[in-house]
Amino acid sequence: MSGTKTSGHGRADDPFEEGGTSLLRQPKAVWATAGASVVAFMGIGLVDPILPSIARGLHATNSQVSLLFTSYFLITAVAMLVTGFVSSRIGGRKTLLAGLALVVVFAALSGMSGSVGELVGFRAGWGLGNALFVSTSLAVIVGAAAGGSAAAILLYESALGLGMACGPLLGAVLGDMKWRYPFFGTAALMAIGFLAITAFLKEQPKPARKTSLLDPVKALGHGGLASAAASAFFYNYAFFTVLAFTPFVLNMSPYKSGGVFFAWGVLLAVFSVIVAPRLQHRFGSLKVLGASLLLLAADLLVLGYGDHTTAVACTVVSGAFIGLNNTVFTELALGVSDAPRPVASAGYNFVRWFAAAAAPFLAPKIEEWTDIHIPFVIAAAAAAVGAAIVALRRRALTLDAEELEPQHAMEDGVAVFAD
């Protein structure tokens, strides 16, 4: 996703130029939703620094604890068929509040878990709540924002990056005291977000057309969207091998692991919001995506076979490539087909989040069956397959024989979850 768009003269239009303060002068409803979005994205990386602590606290294996990600994203994938169906019937505000309420309840229950099985189950409920919230939040922000959609989208992107960067820090600070505390902290922050949205956000008009449960699946019949989803499936396997498996490999204290993934999140945010639009403008979206996927594959191979210091450095550097990939994949998914963008987003996410569910479980299992290097080899191969799909399906992924322009796919303010 991009916070700028390219004009016909090749100049990037800056959302700050229109009056100079369009990004900051937003209604309270926008800030309330953006603040809750930060916490929602914090929940993805929250457990990273405390995975080893959870394993010790609940007497669980690495592969069992990794199911925290698997249950979360498996439910998220399936929920993508439901979120549009729900929001088109009850409206954006009620969908946001329903998602927040579920996160509050299941995050609190996660902190009270007595076994790894209970924790995995409660994370699944958390995933449903997060899916309802984040799949609706950008559309709500753009609908309520002042200063045009570009400023609102940049604000949302900033919230996403801040959440991905700060999640591991919150997990480290609270988890260093006790592994249960990050879950209670998230529940408390989401409860504040619930109250803020209740107070400041008014209900927005419902869509003219209601979305059916099968619309996202039907949208995948478009060759370009199916190709983007297939490539993103393999990319997400690599992405979540880094996010869910690397903490076990680094085997650091919560504070040190939190610092590593904070730096990773900062690079992800910077390259997603600032660097990606500039590279897309200069080289084209598909060239940037193909090169970034191959660089991610190389980084994963070095991570898998390097020493501990090298592994730490490669983990941080991977955030840059993941940030680039997230931005370009978002625009491809939402701009390459003629399906309504909420429907295209749901179909794309339905496919790719299955890989996010598979990688956290399979990577530790593969290590048990082979050795610690092979999970990264497989993740690198997955990223390379994603690049190959982009190269082989270039024509299908190109709109009107021209490279997609940054921001084109975001004009109506529809989010692609957790980019």
Side-chain angles (χ1 to χ4, degrees), residues 10-28:
R11 181 182 58 83
D13 297 325
D14 190 339
F16 288 98
E17 290 180 5
E18 198 72 34
T21 56
S22 59
L23 179 66
L24 300 179
R25 290 183 178 176
Q26 299 294 339
K28 292 180 180 178

Side-chain angles (χ1 to χ4, degrees), residues 309-352:
T309 302
T310 301
V312 169
C314 288
T315 299
V316 173
V317 169
S318 70
F321 307 129
I322 289 170
L324 291 174
N325 293 333
N326 286 348
T327 293
V328 182
F329 269 122
T330 295
E331 294 172 358
L332 285 175
L334 298 183
V336 74
S337 80
D338 54 1
R341 289 183 173 106
V343 174
S345 171
Y348 163 78
N349 279 299
F350 174 69
V351 173
R352 72 169 184 145

Side-chain angles (χ1 to χ4, degrees), residues 1-6 13-16 22-27 30-31 33-35 37-38 41 134 136-162 269 272-274 276-277 280 326-328 330-331 334 341 405-417 419:
M1 284 178 281
S2 168
T4 60
K5 66 179 180 179
T6 305
D13 297 325
D14 190 339
F16 288 98
S22 59
L23 179 66
L24 300 179
R25 290 183 178 176
Q26 299 294 339
V30 173
W31 289 114
T33 307
S37 298
V38 172
F41 288 113
V134 299
T136 311
S137 56
L138 180 55
V140 170
I141 288 174
V142 172
S149 62
I153 292 164
L154 182 58
L155 181 64
Y156 180 85
E157 285 284 2
S158 301
L160 187 158
L162 183 62
S272 178
V273 177
I274 298 174
Q280 286 175 278
N326 286 348
T327 293
V328 182
T330 295
E331 294 172 358
L334 298 183
R341 289 183 173 106
E405 295 179 353
Q407 179 63 29
H408 169 81
M410 303 304 296
E411 291 169 354
D412 63 355
V414 178
V416 169
F417 169 41
D419 283 351

